[in-house]
Amino acid sequence: MNDVSSIHGAQDSTTFDAMAAQAGPTPVNPAGVASARRRAPRGTRRRLTLAGVRLGIVAVALALWQLCVHAKIVDPFFWGEPKGVWQTLIDWFTVGTSQGSLGQQVIITLEEAVMGFVIGSILGIVCGIALGRVAVLSEIFGPFLKAANSIPRIILGSIFTVAFGFGIQSKVILAVVLVFFGVFFNAYQGSREVDRNLIANARLLGASRWQVTRDVVLPSAFTWILASLHISFGFALIGALVGEILGANQGLGLLIRSSQNNFDMNGVLAGMVLVAVIALTAEGLITLLERRLLRWRPPQTHGGAAVQ
């Protein structure tokens, strides 16, 4: 298949070069260049405006929350207050937590989440593509996977904690389970949605089953897989936190549980703020990875505007 493609590619390239030589240099459209230059600052201004609006919404919400606390409308014992949450975060950064330094708690939770995310994603992609391509495997293992997916994760977390103890293993395994099913079903559906004409053409050119899977099915399902990764890291983080809450020696989940046991709502909310920052940072990194891997795809439009 690669030899046939290279021959056609060489012929097309030679023909194109000959046509380009006859046509001469391509004229530059000044209007198009100017339009592109105008769109770049406009896009930057739009992103800055959106960021300002979002920050404004957060600031207004926090101000209203604090005003409700001062007006005795909201009880800070049950709901906390922004000032108390901020002070708790400062104390954790400067003094540390009851379990040790804050950085150590964040690193432990991140290690569990990242390991669960990577292992669960790889297993989900491999199993999803395999079952999507091989009908017999889908018929055999499909009911088992559906049954396993219906089990509440909190029960699995308790089982893993008892079986593997308070160490990192139980948290990683729970994170793997949470990530696996999201990635698996997207990879499975993506492999089933591949254009049959593309597969038929590849086979006509002499591609083997493995080459069709590698060069046709996997790239076609890649958009589905990347879409699942956006939510999968959040699931991995949830798995790590739930495992730590059920039983752990260190981590953000234990920090949140300790604050809850001490009726420190500001500590619980401060832990949630840290989790949200980690999740948003991971989402930004996954978005950058997606843009880099899908640079070949034309920009998607919705309602006449390009989706950023």
Coordinates of all heavy atoms in Angstrom, one line a residue, residues 61-85 266 269:
A61 N -19.7 37.0 42.0 CA -20.2 35.9 42.8 C -19.5 35.8 44.1 O -20.2 35.6 45.2 CB -20.0 34.5 42.0
L62 N -18.2 36.0 44.2 CA -17.5 36.0 45.5 C -17.9 37.2 46.3 O -18.1 37.0 47.6 CB -16.0 36.0 45.3 CG -15.4 34.7 44.6 CD1 -13.9 34.9 44.4 CD2 -15.7 33.5 45.5
A63 N -18.1 38.3 45.7 CA -18.5 39.5 46.5 C -19.9 39.3 47.0 O -20.2 39.7 48.2 CB -18.5 40.8 45.6
L64 N -20.8 38.8 46.3 CA -22.2 38.5 46.8 C -22.2 37.5 47.9 O -22.9 37.7 48.9 CB -23.1 38.1 45.6 CG -23.5 39.1 44.5 CD1 -24.2 38.4 43.4 CD2 -24.3 40.2 45.2
W65 N -21.4 36.5 47.7 CA -21.2 35.5 48.8 C -20.8 36.1 50.1 O -21.4 35.9 51.2 CB -20.3 34.4 48.3 CG -20.1 33.3 49.2 CD1 -20.7 33.0 50.4 CD2 -19.1 32.2 49.0 NE1 -20.2 31.8 50.9 CE2 -19.2 31.3 50.1 CE3 -18.2 31.9 48.1 CZ2 -18.5 30.2 50.3 CZ3 -17.4 30.8 48.2 CH2 -17.5 29.9 49.3
Q66 N -19.7 37.0 50.0 CA -19.2 37.6 51.2 C -20.2 38.6 51.8 O -20.4 38.6 53.0 CB -17.9 38.3 50.9 CG -17.1 38.8 52.1 CD -16.6 37.7 52.9 OE1 -15.9 36.8 52.4 NE2 -16.9 37.7 54.2
L67 N -20.9 39.3 51.0 CA -22.0 40.2 51.5 C -23.1 39.4 52.2 O -23.6 39.9 53.2 CB -22.5 41.0 50.3 CG -21.6 42.1 49.7 CD1 -22.3 42.8 48.5 CD2 -21.3 43.2 50.8
C68 N -23.5 38.3 51.6 CA -24.5 37.5 52.3 C -24.0 37.0 53.6 O -24.8 36.8 54.6 CB -24.9 36.3 51.4 SG -25.8 36.8 49.9
V69 N -22.7 36.7 53.8 CA -22.2 36.2 55.0 C -22.3 37.4 56.1 O -22.7 37.2 57.2 CB -20.8 35.7 54.9 CG1 -20.1 35.5 56.2 CG2 -20.7 34.5 54.1
H70 N -21.9 38.6 55.6 CA -21.9 39.7 56.5 C -23.4 40.1 56.9 O -23.6 40.6 58.0 CB -21.2 40.9 55.9 CG -19.7 40.8 55.9 ND1 -19.0 40.6 57.0 CD2 -18.8 40.9 54.9 CE1 -17.7 40.5 56.7 NE2 -17.6 40.7 55.4
A71 N -24.3 39.9 56.0 CA -25.7 40.2 56.3 C -26.4 39.1 57.0 O -27.6 39.2 57.2 CB -26.4 40.5 54.9
K72 N -25.7 38.0 57.4 CA -26.3 36.9 58.2 C -27.3 36.1 57.3 O -28.1 35.4 57.9 CB -26.9 37.4 59.5 CG -26.1 38.3 60.4 CD -24.8 37.5 60.8 CE -24.0 38.4 61.8 NZ -22.8 37.7 62.2
I73 N -27.2 36.3 56.0 CA -28.1 35.5 55.2 C -27.5 34.1 55.0 O -28.3 33.1 54.9 CB -28.3 36.2 53.8 CG1 -28.9 37.5 54.0 CG2 -29.1 35.3 52.9 CD1 -29.0 38.3 52.7
V74 N -26.2 34.0 54.9 CA -25.5 32.7 54.7 C -24.7 32.4 56.0 O -24.0 33.3 56.5 CB -24.6 32.7 53.5 CG1 -23.7 31.5 53.4 CG2 -25.4 32.9 52.2
D75 N -24.9 31.2 56.5 CA -24.1 30.8 57.7 C -22.8 30.3 57.3 O -22.6 29.3 56.7 CB -24.9 29.7 58.5 CG -24.3 29.4 59.9 OD1 -23.2 29.9 60.1 OD2 -25.0 28.8 60.7
P76 N -21.7 31.0 57.7 CA -20.3 30.5 57.3 C -19.9 29.2 57.9 O -19.0 28.5 57.4 CB -19.4 31.6 57.8 CG -20.2 32.3 58.9 CD -21.6 32.2 58.5
F77 N -20.6 28.7 59.0 CA -20.3 27.5 59.6 C -20.6 26.3 58.6 O -19.9 25.3 58.5 CB -21.0 27.3 60.9 CG -20.7 26.0 61.6 CD1 -19.6 25.8 62.3 CD2 -21.6 24.9 61.4 CE1 -19.3 24.6 62.9 CE2 -21.4 23.7 62.0 CZ -20.2 23.5 62.8
F78 N -21.7 26.5 57.9 CA -22.1 25.4 57.0 C -21.6 25.7 55.5 O -21.4 24.7 54.8 CB -23.6 25.3 56.9 CG -24.2 24.9 58.2 CD1 -24.9 25.8 59.1 CD2 -24.2 23.5 58.6 CE1 -25.4 25.4 60.3 CE2 -24.7 23.1 59.8 CZ -25.4 24.0 60.6
W79 N -21.4 26.9 55.1 CA -21.1 27.2 53.7 C -19.8 27.9 53.6 O -19.3 28.1 52.4 CB -22.2 28.1 53.1 CG -23.6 27.5 53.2 CD1 -24.6 27.8 54.1 CD2 -24.1 26.5 52.3 NE1 -25.7 27.0 53.8 CE2 -25.4 26.2 52.8 CE3 -23.6 25.8 51.3 CZ2 -26.2 25.2 52.1 CZ3 -24.3 24.8 50.7 CH2 -25.6 24.6 51.1
G80 N -19.1 28.3 54.7 CA -17.8 28.9 54.6 C -18.0 30.4 54.1 O -19.1 30.9 53.9
E81 N -16.8 31.0 53.8 CA -16.8 32.4 53.3 C -15.6 32.6 52.5 O -14.5 32.0 52.8 CB -17.0 33.4 54.4 CG -15.9 33.4 55.4 CD -16.0 34.5 56.5 OE1 -16.5 35.5 56.1 OE2 -15.6 34.2 57.6
P82 N -15.6 33.4 51.4 CA -14.4 33.6 50.6 C -13.2 34.1 51.4 O -12.1 33.6 51.1 CB -14.9 34.7 49.6 CG -16.4 34.6 49.6 CD -16.8 34.2 50.9
K83 N -13.4 35.0 52.3 CA -12.2 35.4 53.1 C -11.6 34.3 53.9 O -10.4 34.2 54.0 CB -12.7 36.5 54.1 CG -11.6 37.2 54.9 CD -12.1 38.4 55.7 CE -13.1 38.0 56.7 NZ -13.6 39.1 57.5
G84 N -12.4 33.4 54.5 CA -11.9 32.3 55.2 C -11.2 31.3 54.3 O -10.2 30.7 54.7
V85 N -11.7 31.1 53.1 CA -11.1 30.1 52.2 C -9.8 30.7 51.7 O -8.8 29.9 51.7 CB -12.0 29.9 50.9 CG1 -11.3 29.1 49.9 CG2 -13.3 29.2 51.4
N266 N -14.3 26.0 55.4 CA -13.4 26.8 54.6 C -12.2 25.9 54.1 O -11.8 26.0 53.0 CB -12.8 27.9 55.5 CG -13.8 29.0 55.8 OD1 -14.6 29.3 54.9 ND2 -13.7 29.6 56.9
L269 N -13.6 23.8 51.2 CA -13.7 24.6 50.0 C -12.3 24.9 49.4 O -12.2 25.0 48.2 CB -14.5 25.9 50.3 CG -16.0 25.7 50.6 CD1 -16.6 27.0 51.0 CD2 -16.7 25.0 49.4

